[in-house]
Amino acid sequence: MPTTQEDLTTALDLPWIRCQFPSFAEKVNGQPAAYFDGPGGTQVPQRVIDAISEYLAHANANTCGAYLTSRRTNQVIADARSAMADFFGCDADEVVFGFNMTSLTFAMSRAMGRELKAGDEIVLTLLDHDANFSPWQALEERGVVIRRVAFREADCTLNMEDLAQQINKRTKVVAVGYASNAVGTINDVKEVVRLAHAAGAIAYIDAVHYAPHGPIDVRNLDCDFLVCSSYKFFGPHMGVLYGKREHLKRLQPYKVRANTNEIPNCWEWGTLNHEGIAGITACVDYIASIGHKLKGTLPSRRAAILAAYGEIVKYERGLCERLLQGIAALPAVKVYGITDPAQFDHRCPTIALRAKGHTPLELATKLGDRGFFTWDGNYYAINVTEQLDVEKDGGFLRIGLFHYNTVEEVDRLLAALREIVAA
Ligand SMILES: Cc1ncc(COP(=O)(O)O)c(C=O)c1O
């Protein structure tokens, strides 16, 4: 296990990373704020804030007008589409911007629902955030049958045998999360896509939780749709969807008449959040800048993004091991999810725990007063907290580690937890 910051920062330059985030200067009761709340939304680097302000100062307009700021707006949107294409590994016209992941998923599920008939089936998992569950479950009103895949309670991993059994020739959609926002499990989504396609079904992947922690390659996954939210990867509060061109063209969106039939615009309703879109380019460039800082000049933004994630994965794993080892020494604390380091390739550094004698809300409040920002509750992964029977007792305390967190923050958090659970 890495023991010092130096061990963990040989590759990532933490001071260089951290000085880009103005929010890290925040203090609570004289203590420096430590952001472990990233699974609910990460902090943003200055370049994202600047891009949003810059847009509002110099390009603020609606699209497709015959004048300067409108043309700039069109360019800002085109730039962000190509940034997200680099992020996903797809083409720019396969990128759809939306309000957030939930509303994009409602839009896509409504459109797919138009093609479904009574008796058709959709396979969902109990490990997923409700945003990848309820929008599909709502299709029961059309007579669609929802099948639910279980997870193993011992380590909160998806039961792939159950998933394989639930898929059959009536299956039309398999909607699965890339990683659990509650317990951190990373699912074998490539295998999920393979199983879905073998049955002729569409594979819809929720990558909201995974996106800040690992590289996404939609071509390699061969998924039909993949959706994420830029506010979880250092950007503004928006959702972004990848859809295979053939599906985006074939499916019929609900839309206003004035919306063209061109993809991706036919999926983007009304006026978009242009300043947010400007911020999306900046957050993708931020991730790419980590890759360039590590490896020098690289041939493309995509190569730089992949280089960045190569080191982010390693660094976050070191932080995660350290935190879980520290927690293992606290007998009053129980962690839900994968705890065996040999299985850490299958988890994000997102830790769900409960402590004897303290509700998750009490823990989060006591930690919050000391400057540690964590979440309590179910974070909308309500099937998870229900199955593990913790919903009625306040869910979990969730600690989310990100590449911008430090060893020193993890050690201070462990000391605070120790003190709180001993009291
Ligand atoms: C795994 C996962 N899926 C979906 C969502 C919903 O995302 P949004 O807030 O963009 O609708 C979240 C939000 O926390 C999430 O963590």
Side-chain angles (χ1 to χ4, degrees):
M1 184 184 88
T3 50
T4 65
Q5 187 65 59
E6 286 68 41
D7 289 338
L8 285 171
T9 54
T10 46
L12 284 185
D13 184 344
L14 260 286
W16 173 79
I17 284 172
R18 286 182 63 85
C19 74
Q20 298 183 52
F21 290 77
S23 56
F24 292 165
E26 197 70 59
K27 287 205 169 357
V28 180
N29 298 325
Q31 298 299 317
Y35 293 82
F36 295 114
D37 61 335
T42 49
Q43 298 306 299
V44 298
Q46 185 63 45
R47 69 164 72 205
V48 170
I49 301 165
D50 290 345
I52 293 170
S53 308
E54 185 71 14
Y55 172 81
L56 290 170
H58 301 295
N60 191 19
N62 218 318
T63 51
C64 301
Y67 57 95
L68 180 72
T69 48
S70 181
R71 287 193 197 105
R72 283 184 180 156
T73 294
N74 283 358
Q75 192 56 50
V76 162
I77 296 172
D79 290 348
R81 243 187 255 293
S82 83
M84 282 309 299
D86 288 344
F87 189 77
F88 288 143
C90 66
D91 293 330
D93 66 344
E94 296 174 305
V95 172
V96 177
F97 292 119
F99 191 41
N100 50 42
M101 178 277 181
T102 306
S103 53
L104 283 164
T105 302
F106 267 113
M108 294 314 306
S109 59
R110 293 311 80 194
M112 284 185 226
R114 288 177 132 176
E115 296 189 333
L116 301 184
K117 53 184 190 325
D120 285 343
E121 296 187 1
I122 296 181
V123 174
L124 308 175
T125 93
L126 296 179
L127 201 53
D128 270 73
H129 186 285
D130 205 51
N132 203 28
F133 195 91
S134 287
W136 303 107
Q137 192 183 29
L139 292 169
E140 281 179 332
E141 70 194 11
R142 299 179 68 92
V144 169
V145 175
I146 301 298
R147 286 178 169 265
R148 296 161 175 77
V149 177
F151 63 88
R152 294 188 191 84
E153 292 188 9
D155 60 0
C156 300
T157 52
L158 199 60
N159 186 334
M160 290 296 281
E161 293 78 47
D162 187 29
L163 184 127
Q165 274 171 13
Q166 303 265 16
I167 296 175
N168 61 58
K169 59 182 187 329
R170 291 181 298 281
T171 309
K172 298 298 175 211
V173 180
V174 181
V176 171
Y178 208 140
S180 159
N181 69 313
V183 289
T185 316
I186 298 174
N187 297 319
D188 184 353
V189 284
K190 191 159 179 180
E191 176 62 5
V192 172
V193 173
R194 195 190 66 73
L195 290 167
H197 286 177
I202 278 181
Y204 188 95
I205 307 300
D206 169 6
V208 172
H209 189 69
Y210 180 77
H213 298 297
I216 292 172
D217 185 341
V218 293
R219 296 274 186 260
N220 180 261
L221 290 177
D222 195 30
C223 54
D224 301 288
F225 294 94
L226 180 141
V227 65
C228 60
S229 313
S230 46
Y231 72 95
K232 311 279 189 177
F233 54 92
F234 325 109
H237 289 93
M238 286 191 62
V240 193
L241 175 135
Y242 154 78
K244 261 187 192 163
R245 188 178 296 111
E246 67 199 71
H247 296 313
L248 292 179
K249 282 191 163 164
R250 181 182 53 79
L251 288 164
Q252 292 294 309
Y254 287 95
K255 66 175 192 63
V256 296
R257 283 174 300 166
N259 232 165
T260 70
N261 288 322
E262 297 301 308
I263 66 157
N265 313 80
C266 61
W267 294 100
E268 296 174 333
W269 308 327
T271 303
L272 293 173
N273 176 354
H274 299 158
E275 55 274 32
I277 288 175
I280 286 180
T281 305
C283 76
V284 173
D285 282 341
Y286 162 71
I287 296 169
S289 76
I290 296 174
H292 286 301
K293 175 90 176 152
L294 286 162
K295 306 268 183 209
T297 311
L298 287 162
S300 66
R301 179 164 50 192
R302 173 90 183 142
I305 291 167
L306 296 180
Y309 276 115
E311 291 305 325
I312 286 172
V313 168
K314 280 191 225 154
Y315 177 65
E316 290 185 350
R317 185 180 171 141
L319 285 181
C320 186
E321 279 190 42
R322 189 178 186 90
L323 180 62
L324 283 174
Q325 253 185 37
I327 291 174
L330 305 176
V333 176
K334 173 174 169 148
V335 170
Y336 293 78
I338 294 172
T339 50
D340 174 6
Q343 298 302 317
F344 276 11
D345 283 351
H346 306 294
R347 70 135 53 244
C348 291
T350 307
I351 317 299
L353 60 81
R354 290 182 56 85
K356 270 200 201 94
H358 302 265
T359 66
L361 176 59
E362 281 163 6
L363 284 178
T365 307
K366 286 180 181 164
L367 287 169
D369 291 346
R370 291 164 164 82
F372 301 101
F373 300 168
T374 60
W375 268 105
D376 69 282
N378 62 36
Y379 347 107
Y380 287 24
I382 190 154
N383 287 320
V384 177
T385 51
E386 279 179 353
Q387 182 170 330
L388 294 172
D389 201 25
V390 296
E391 179 61 23
K392 60 182 186 338
D393 301 318
F396 306 115
L397 178 86
R398 179 178 66 186
I399 301 167
L401 300 171
F402 285 78
H403 74 278
Y404 55 48
N405 291 120
T406 64
V407 171
E408 186 260 335
E409 285 179 330
V410 168
D411 289 350
R412 280 198 297 116
L413 173 71
L414 280 168
L417 255 183
R418 209 172 292 129
E419 189 189 300
I420 292 166
V421 298

